[in-house]
Amino acid sequence: MMGPSHALSGAAVWLAGSWALDHFADYHQSPLALAVGTAVCAGGALFPDLDLSGKVTRNQGGATVARTFGVFSLFVAEVIEKISLGVYYATKLSRDPRRNNGHRTLTHTLPFTALVGWGTTTLCAAYGKWAVVSILFFMIGLALRGLFDEWAERAGWVIVTLASAAAAWYTFANLPGDRGYPMIGLAVGVGCVVHILGDMITKAGVPILWPIPIKRRMWTMIGLPNSIALRTGSKAEVVVLRAVLTAVAVLAAVGLVAPGVLRRFDIEI
Ligand SMILES: [Zn+2]
């Protein structure tokens, strides 16, 4: 799946989940909290692809997400890719094939997802304000890059960076403290899981079972068979899948915001 589809699926899942909580569990969130959760989940849904690095010195290549903050994020992607490859070789069994890059390994596993979600929450709890602003800045940057792909490409990474910094600061200044922190960790974690599921419907698959060894393989790639797998960049992805995800996101958002607007309208009349 391409970057924008991943980001969109993260946003759609967070909005649909929030709608379900609002509707069935009476758990209400302010419009700002909803917007932040959606942006962070969309960013989280791109995060695992930070293991696809490009050419740092020439500022080229890499996953969409790796180009979010220009050479800085390309460099981070390079480091994550090398660490992932290191973990692959450290844990590989005799029937796991040799690899020359770490893409779709460590960052596409459930233990990694749990670690990222827990780590985010812990950082926010331990360092408060500055951790929250930094994480929001990073995640909103990824979300902007993914959701508004063409704009981000035209605007360039400096504008994307400035826009995410402004959004992070505004959010932080207006979001009520304690309740928001665990939510940020949850949104990042949910985003990562949504990414992994998105990659599972492609042919290459993901090592979702890691670290469970199966037939002398630690990194069994689970994906759909060729005949029904989603081809990256195909019409099924770019037109059909994105239309469905957009519809889910919009319906959930309307369902969440409309009752409040109607209520206010009633009172004012
Ligand atoms: Zn991926």
Side-chain angles (χ1 to χ4, degrees):
M1 267 165 76
M2 295 157 80
S5 313
H6 279 302
L8 198 53
S9 60
V13 165
W14 189 262
L15 285 168
S18 300
W19 177 82
L21 280 177
D22 187 272
H23 206 72
F24 300 113
D26 235 21
Y27 181 83
H28 308 295
Q29 301 178 66
S30 70
L32 181 67
L34 272 172
V36 175
T38 305
V40 173
C41 195
L46 283 168
F47 190 70
D49 274 351
L50 262 183
D51 66 351
L52 187 57
S53 58
K55 295 189 173 65
V56 180
T57 45
R58 274 190 274 154
N59 195 8
Q60 279 176 341
T64 314
V65 59
R67 294 194 302 270
T68 307
F69 305 107
V71 282
F72 301 103
S73 47
L74 267 180
F75 177 73
V76 171
E78 185 80 32
V79 174
I80 292 180
E81 190 261 311
K82 290 291 175 291
I83 292 174
S84 303
L85 191 61
V87 172
Y88 180 84
Y89 272 102
T91 58
K92 104 185 239 306
L93 299 177
S94 58
R95 288 200 56 213
D96 283 311
R98 307 193 122 267
R99 298 186 66 105
N100 48 25
N101 74 75
H103 180 46
R104 284 198 179 194
T105 57
L106 180 66
T107 61
H108 290 65
T109 63
L110 293 177
F112 178 83
T113 294
L115 184 75
V116 168
W118 172 82
T120 305
T121 306
T122 309
L123 278 178
C124 290
Y127 298 101
K129 184 173 167 176
W130 292 108
V132 175
V133 176
S134 315
I135 289 164
L136 285 179
F137 162 69
F138 188 71
M139 286 299 162
I140 291 172
L142 300 191
L144 287 176
R145 176 78 232 199
L147 291 174
F148 308 105
D149 190 37
E150 282 167 19
W151 165 79
E153 197 71 53
R154 256 182 288 124
W157 69 268
V158 177
I159 303 287
V160 173
T161 303
L162 291 176
S164 7
W169 192 258
Y170 173 83
T171 307
F172 181 75
N174 292 284
L175 195 70
D178 43 325
R179 193 176 165 189
Y181 297 174
M183 185 196 79
I184 294 172
L186 181 69
V188 176
V190 169
C192 290
V193 172
V194 171
H195 179 102
I196 294 174
L197 293 177
D199 276 352
M200 270 180 85
I201 60 171
T202 65
K203 193 180 99 189
V206 285
I208 185 96
L209 298 175
W210 187 85
I212 303 169
I214 295 163
K215 294 183 190 159
R216 279 181 288 138
R217 257 177 210 253
M218 191 71 99
W219 298 87
T220 313
M221 293 291 176
I222 310 281
L224 289 181
N226 215 347
S227 50
I228 49 166
L230 188 79
R231 269 182 305 116
T232 300
S234 61
K235 251 202 182 118
E237 178 189 340
V238 178
V239 181
V240 183
L241 182 68
R242 282 188 205 171
V244 171
L245 291 171
T246 307
V248 169
V250 170
L251 283 177
V254 169
L256 281 161
V257 178
V261 173
L262 287 179
R263 227 174 294 129
R264 202 174 299 171
F265 193 64
D266 270 339
I267 292 165
E268 275 168 14
I269 281 177

